[in-house]
Amino acid sequence: MSDPEVPQPEKPGDVDDVVDSAKAGLADAEAAAAGAAEPKGDALDAAAEAAEDAATADESAADVAAIDPDAAAFEEAEKSFPGTFTSAATADASDVADDHEPPTAITYSATDDVATAAYGASATAAAAAAAETQVVPTEPVVDAPPPQPQPIFVQAPEPPRPLGNRGTAGAIGLLATLCFAILLLGVTLGIGAAGGKVTGENIGDKALAPLTTWGFWTPVVVFFIAFWLLGAIINRGRWGHWVIWGLLVGVAAWAGHLLGQLFEAPFWMLSAQQGVDLVQDQLFAPLAIAAFIIGRELTIWFGAWAARAGARKTELNIEAQREYERTLEAGPSLSR
């Protein structure tokens, strides 16, 4: 039996045609081997023809690969320098920025001649390789702004409180009242001595007797109240105010003597006419005139003392105001 003549293609055909023809030959060979009713010689011939067709398909695939000059050059370079082009192709495939990982190499099966895409590495290995080669840009270092100076709150100095002279005038008024009581008692003893009621034998009793009467203490108390009220009004005023307005203190002492005589009567047991007659009898009585004069003079002299104290307070107030103004002009300062 002569070998079948293998047709030689004038030009390389498509790989799919070659694969289809190879599959058809294999299918015919299997069908021939399975048929038991056919003669043995025909089965052998069919098997030989199928083997020859498969060989022809392999040669055609080799011829197709040999015809491509780029593939031949690539295979030759790979044989001379193994691993050079395969690693480069893998690195290029890993650097592709795509949601799906591209195939790294295409291989052709020799059994069924079906083109399959073989991935060079799994998805996990490709992601690890990409993470190793990825360069993460560092964040730019921004200089922090310099710290802003915090405001410092400084309490403004309070203006000085002016010093008054009312307390001093009240204290001086107590001393003036003591003098008023002593002088008024002396005038009372003198008037009694002039009338023959006070002698050397009874002077002690006569000196203690007025101290238990309303007629003596009422003008004394009225004098103190009038002196202190005048000092509160004048305050840090000059001595001239005490000299002029001291007349009012004298009048108050005189009115105090009249009021003391009414308390001594007593006035709640007197009729209206009896009260009027008593006041008329005491208007120009020696003790009434003495109370007026003593109150007037003590106000003048003790008022001079109060005025001097008021002038000193005025100087202190002026100095405190100047110091306050200097502090405001200097501005706030940090104390350590």
Side-chain angles (χ1 to χ4, degrees), residues 6 80 127 130 140 179 228 238 249 258 270 274 280 286 298 307 310 319 330:
V6 179
S80 300
C179 294
W228 182 77
R238 296 183 177 181
V249 179
L258 298 178
L270 300 177
Q274 290 176 349
Q280 289 178 354
L298 290 177
E319 183 63 25

Side-chain angles (χ1 to χ4, degrees), residues 160-264:
R161 184 178 180 180
L163 299 175
N165 197 40
R166 296 179 177 86
T168 304
I172 295 174
L174 288 175
L175 295 177
T177 302
L178 179 61
C179 294
F180 181 86
I182 293 173
L183 292 175
L184 185 62
L185 180 61
V187 171
T188 301
L189 294 177
I191 293 174
K197 297 180 180 180
V198 177
T199 60
E201 297 177 356
N202 61 357
I203 188 172
D205 296 335
K206 293 295 183 179
L208 295 175
L211 300 179
T212 59
T213 61
W214 286 95
F216 178 80
W217 290 110
T218 301
V220 173
V221 173
V222 171
F223 170 80
F224 171 75
I225 294 174
F227 188 95
W228 182 77
L229 287 176
L230 182 62
I233 294 172
I234 296 175
N235 199 4
R236 297 183 301 272
R238 296 183 177 181
W239 182 46
H241 296 286
W242 291 94
V243 174
I244 296 173
W245 301 107
L247 290 171
L248 297 178
V249 179
V251 172
W254 172 77
H257 172 75
L258 298 178
L259 184 62
Q261 294 301 317
L262 289 174
F263 278 112
E264 188 71 22

